[in-house]
């Protein structure tokens, strides 16, 4: 569980006081940080399986979660139980609306329907190299001389046919002339006087030839529903004849910070005098949502008052699809979120998870607000950002229809020794990755591991997962690292760990 920090004034202050610095000013309530998505079409987005994910697993083969320790409450879910519940619940939500997006603007979005190829890819049989189009049988007695009769180039006029004893000079991508069945590389031939080419080596039919439709034939599925559209997928969509693609509309997310001690930059002087805390969580979470392509409605900061929280939440009907509240979800007497949300027929999925940082994590739906999805994040800054990465982001990606909502974990060997307390929780250790001499990865702690110590998270490449029951990470121990790069772009060493159901 998050470590309280003394001296912040009151229970609510102690649970949130850790490191809330570098924040944003209190924005005007309801200011979208990204433009609203294009108008959605019919609700025919992709449905996803209700099968619960295995999640990241201990490199030794055991699950990351252990049985409950003595005295634990049964509603304090294990990591795997919470992931399974969350993924199952979001898979059962109504499918996201579908909208058409032009290809340059569809990067990072999720394809809502299978995309067929409208043309053969490649559209004609062509050469894979610069060289000479020939009949393979004419090269059997190489070295041989063949008469050059013309040239084939991509976008040029039709080349002459190739007959016995002849060849056509050909460029990469140019259509293969009629009669030719192979291409001799330019490096394996030499032009000689008298418009001839001497072929130095024999080749087989089909050598350096790309058949029409060999990549994707016309009418076949070029991209599957659930594909996250990166540069290669967008290039394929373009070549398959689609100027725009059907994608799932991204969920619109409202962000609300809760705390008497929090201020924005309009009260910077108070924060600099040590009288208040700047809401860094507002900045960090908004940046994470924007990175993931989800429009953000920043609701600013409200005090530790259930009525104040409820007043803001009541105005969200029809404006957003999900709500992230930050702080106020623990068990303290001054935690206002639960009593506030109970006014909106809160359907609670879970309230706490056996992880560190981020144990006071909650999720559910507000039935009285058309089933608005709610995530209650802890107030400590490391806890808020880690639980967003580990729980909220995969859940929203699943809802959006992404076939692989979890990032690919990286296998690494641990450097140094790190003691874990308490050992009955799953720990997400803020870690730096280093290339190992054998081509794999090594990982070490990026700094102090308190849930209030944001510097270590800012310096981290990923989160090293220590399974429940681990009292210490030892030198050389195998660990799974959850990447924290903006695009999950770290390449895996050999034998990556499974991460998606």
């Amino acid at each position: 569980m998050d470590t309280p920090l003394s001296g912040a004034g009151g229970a609510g202050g102690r649970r949130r006081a850790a490191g809330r610095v570098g924040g944003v000013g209190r924005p005007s309530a309801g200011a979208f940080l990204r433009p609203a998505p294009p108008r959605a079409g019919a609700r025919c987005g992709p449905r996803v399986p209700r099968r619960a994910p295995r999640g990241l697993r201990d490199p030794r083969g055991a699950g990351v979660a252990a049985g409950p320790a003595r005295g634990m409450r049964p509603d304090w879910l294990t990591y795997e139980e919470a992931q399974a519940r969350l993924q199952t619940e979001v898979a059962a939500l109504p499918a996201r609306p579908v909208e058409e997006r032009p290809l340059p603007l569809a990067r990072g979005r999720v394809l809502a329907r299978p995309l067929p190829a409208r043309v053969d890819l490649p559209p004609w049989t062509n050469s894979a190299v610069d060289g000479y189009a020939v009949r393979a049988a004419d090269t059997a007695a190489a070295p041989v001389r063949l008469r050059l009769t013309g040239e084939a180039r991509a976008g040029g006029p039709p080349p002459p046919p190739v007959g016995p004893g002849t060849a056509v000079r050909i460029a990469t991508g140019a259509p293969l002339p009629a009669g030719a069945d192979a291409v001799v590389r330019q490096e394996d031939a030499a032009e000689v006087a008298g418009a001839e080419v001497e072929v130095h080596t024999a080749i087989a039919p089909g050598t350096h030839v790309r058949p029409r439709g060999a990549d994707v034939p016309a009418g076949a599925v070029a991209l599957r529903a659930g594909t996250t559209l990166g540069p290669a997928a967008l290039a394929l969509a373009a070549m398959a004849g689609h100027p725009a693609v059907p994608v799932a509309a991204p969920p619109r997310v409202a962000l609300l910070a809760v705390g008497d001690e929090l201020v924005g930059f309009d009260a910077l002087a108070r924060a600099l005098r040590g009288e208040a805390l700047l809401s860094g969580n507002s900045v960090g979470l908004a940046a994470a949502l924007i990175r993931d392509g989800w429009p953000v409605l920043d609701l600013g900061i409200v005090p530790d008052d259930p009525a104040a929280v409820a007043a803001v939440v009541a105005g969200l009907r029809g404006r957003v699809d999900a709500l992230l509240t930050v702080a106020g979800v623990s068990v303290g007497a001054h935690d206002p979120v639960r009593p506030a949300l109970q006014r909106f027929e809160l359907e609670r999925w879970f309230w706490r998870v056996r992880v560190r940082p981020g144990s006071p994590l909650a999720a559910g739906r507000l039935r009285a607000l058309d089933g608005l999805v709610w995530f209650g994040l802890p107030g400590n800054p490391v806890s808020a950002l880690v639980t967003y990465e580990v729980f909220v982001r995969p859940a929203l990606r699943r809802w959006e229809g992404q076939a692989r909502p979890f990032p690919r974990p990286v296998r690494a060997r641990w450097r140094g020794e790190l003691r874990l307390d308490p050992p009955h929780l799953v720990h997400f250790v803020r870690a730096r990755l280093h290339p190992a001499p054998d081509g794999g990865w090594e990982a070490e702690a990026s700094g102090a591991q308190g849930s209030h110590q944001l510097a270590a998270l800012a310096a981290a490449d990923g989160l090293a997962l220590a399974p429940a029951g681990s009292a210490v990470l030892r030198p050389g121990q195998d660990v799974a690292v959850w990447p924290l790069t903006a695009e999950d772009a770290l390449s895996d060493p050999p034998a990556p760990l499974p991460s998606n159901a």
Side-chain angles (χ1 to χ4, degrees):
M1 291 183 290
D2 294 335
T3 304
L5 182 71
S6 60
R14 286 194 297 274
R15 67 182 149 76
R16 280 185 299 268
R20 288 278 186 89
V21 295
V24 69
R26 185 191 299 262
S28 58
F32 270 101
L33 300 184
R34 295 195 64 201
R39 189 170 184 176
R43 286 187 173 267
C44 53
R47 297 308 303 254
V48 294
R50 297 190 63 169
R51 179 183 177 189
R54 289 173 295 174
L56 289 168
R57 300 189 68 83
D58 180 3
R60 295 166 293 187
V64 297
R70 177 179 294 181
M72 282 190 180
R73 293 177 51 177
D75 63 347
W76 196 8
L77 298 188
T78 67
Y79 165 80
E80 288 186 331
E81 288 169 344
Q83 286 286 25
R85 179 69 188 272
L86 201 51
Q87 291 285 311
T88 298
E89 293 291 351
V90 297
L93 293 172
R96 300 296 305 143
V98 175
E99 59 194 29
E100 291 282 329
R101 286 218 177 170
L103 294 185
L105 302 181
R107 189 201 68 82
R109 298 270 53 89
V110 180
L111 193 63
R113 293 188 287 267
L115 198 71
R118 300 176 67 185
V119 296
D120 287 317
L121 296 176
W124 55 76
T125 299
N126 66 87
S127 175
V129 296
D130 291 335
Y132 302 89
V134 301
R135 298 190 328 147
D138 288 343
T139 70
V144 296
R145 289 192 178 189
L146 304 174
R147 181 168 55 89
L148 282 173
T149 60
E151 180 183 43
R153 56 188 176 86
V162 172
T166 67
V168 168
R169 187 182 300 110
I170 192 168
T172 301
L176 193 70
D181 61 3
V183 176
V184 177
R185 294 189 313 157
Q186 186 169 288
E187 297 89 333
D188 296 328
E191 294 188 22
V192 294
E196 291 183 327
V197 60
E198 183 174 282
V199 178
H200 300 150
T201 183
I203 60 174
T207 301
H208 303 311
V209 172
R210 302 166 175 163
R212 176 178 177 173
D215 188 9
V216 185
V221 173
L223 293 167
R224 297 179 180 178
T227 298
T228 301
L229 297 171
L234 292 173
L236 178 57
M239 296 189 69
H242 297 274
V245 288
V247 298
R252 302 163 299 170
V253 183
L255 178 62
L256 178 64
V258 181
D260 290 335
E261 76 278 25
L262 299 179
V263 296
F265 279 128
D266 54 347
L268 177 60
R270 288 187 58 209
L272 295 180
R273 292 195 300 267
E275 298 172 357
L277 292 170
L278 293 167
S279 183
N281 280 336
S282 299
V283 173
L285 291 168
L289 290 161
I290 291 171
R291 173 202 64 188
D292 294 331
W294 299 318
V296 185
L297 180 63
D298 195 326
L299 300 173
I301 302 166
V302 296
D304 281 316
D305 176 14
V309 174
V312 174
V313 173
L316 294 180
R317 186 193 303 272
R319 300 175 65 194
V320 294
D321 306 297
L323 166 66
L324 265 63
T325 60
V326 191
V329 293
S330 192
V331 294
H334 299 282
D335 291 307
V337 172
R338 177 156 39 180
L341 298 188
Q342 285 172 342
R343 306 181 187 189
F344 303 101
E345 300 177 25
L346 172 63
E347 174 194 293
R348 190 177 75 181
W349 295 343
F350 58 81
W351 201 266
R352 295 194 300 168
V353 184
R354 295 177 209 160
V355 297
R356 187 186 183 101
S359 179
L361 171 70
R365 296 182 74 186
L366 304 182
R367 290 294 185 184
L369 294 179
D370 301 325
L372 180 69
V373 176
W374 167 68
F375 300 95
L377 305 187
N380 275 315
V382 176
S383 301
L385 290 168
V386 168
T387 51
Y388 174 85
E389 294 290 338
V390 173
F391 292 97
V392 178
R393 187 184 188 209
L396 291 179
R397 290 176 70 159
R398 176 74 78 181
W399 191 14
E400 202 174 12
Q402 296 198 37
R404 297 176 58 86
F406 291 90
R408 293 179 303 163
V410 175
R411 186 192 297 274
R413 292 188 301 276
W414 189 253
R415 287 184 181 180
E417 183 172 294
L418 182 68
R419 298 206 167 272
L420 305 169
D421 182 47
H424 60 263
L425 302 182
V426 171
H427 287 256
F428 288 94
V429 179
R430 281 69 77 197
R432 292 283 296 173
L433 285 165
H434 305 277
D438 62 0
W441 294 99
E442 295 179 347
E444 65 179 349
S446 59
Q449 295 295 308
S451 59
H452 61 293
Q453 293 172 304
L454 196 54
L457 183 59
D461 297 314
L463 304 171
L465 188 148
S470 302
V472 63
L473 287 179
R474 302 187 184 280
Q477 180 176 335
D478 234 6
V479 293
V481 180
W482 186 299
L484 290 178
T485 56
E487 301 290 344
D488 298 329
L490 288 170
S491 59
D492 288 334
L497 300 176
S499 62
N500 290 280

